[in-house]
Amino acid sequence: MSDQAAGQQTPAAGAEAGAQQPIFQIEKLYVKDLSLEVPNAPQVFMQAESPQLEIQLRNEATQVMDGLYDIAVTVTVTATSGEKNIFLAEVVQCGIFQIRGFVPEEFERVLEIACPTVLYPYAREAISDMVARGGFPSVVLQPDRKSTRLNSSH
């Protein structure tokens, strides 16, 4: 039985089929901005009450070259207690992605869902680590994929 008869493609046929396949590839992951502000330290460490947390998520996509897109997921966590700001932690986690060959509907989903889904765990880890290094209990953000696309813009 020949290779083609067994359902296997020759290398040339495989290369031709591969050229028509959509491409989604991570080229680079990086942190664009990382900040922690504790404006009322050291007094905030003397308080016994638990702070209220507000979490904001935002996505942005920018085309940097043909087929290459810079995607930024911004996570901002603000902790307050009454009128006092306890801390503000923010990370802009980015990635450069090669995205080619998708139909328009799929392309939008890749930009708005697939790319942020790759970046969000890195942003979660950065926030948790930064807040803990600031002397506070870790903030554990839930792995909510839908929330990463709520405020997307590109």
Side-chain angles (χ1 to χ4, degrees):
M1 179 185 280
S2 74
D3 287 343
Q4 288 180 345
Q8 297 178 353
Q9 296 180 340
T10 62
E16 289 173 8
Q20 298 173 10
Q21 294 294 317
I23 297 171
F24 175 71
Q25 182 172 318
I26 302 167
E27 297 294 329
K28 182 75 171 172
L29 297 174
Y30 67 98
V31 173
K32 189 172 194 174
D33 187 23
L34 183 68
S35 66
L36 175 67
E37 299 174 20
V38 187
N40 294 302
Q43 294 82 7
V44 297
F45 298 114
M46 307 307 156
Q47 294 180 352
E49 58 187 272
S50 296
Q52 296 294 317
L53 296 180
E54 178 185 337
I55 301 166
Q56 296 177 342
L57 301 167
R58 189 177 78 242
N59 301 335
E60 293 181 47
T62 307
Q63 185 172 2
V64 292
M65 292 176 57
D66 183 41
L68 289 178
Y69 296 85
D70 184 59
I71 310 299
V73 171
T74 302
V75 179
T76 305
V77 179
T78 305
T80 57
S81 180
E83 296 292 317
K84 282 191 173 183
N85 285 334
I86 305 299
F87 66 80
L88 180 126
E90 184 172 77
V91 64
V92 181
Q93 180 68 52
C94 297
I96 300 172
F97 294 85
Q98 183 177 168
I99 306 169
R100 300 177 191 272
F102 289 91
V103 297
E105 302 83 39
E106 290 175 341
F107 177 78
E108 290 297 317
R109 285 194 299 264
V110 169
L111 283 183
E112 294 178 4
I113 299 171
C115 294
T117 298
V118 170
L119 298 173
Y120 186 65
Y122 294 97
R124 288 177 55 220
E125 180 182 8
I127 289 287
S128 180
D129 186 54
M130 181 173 35
V131 169
R133 289 177 183 263
F136 301 99
S138 292
V139 172
V140 180
L141 301 174
Q142 296 303 311
D144 183 358
R145 293 181 190 166
K146 289 181 183 177
S147 67
T148 61
R149 63 186 171 126
L150 289 178
N151 298 313
S152 64
S153 64
H154 56 286

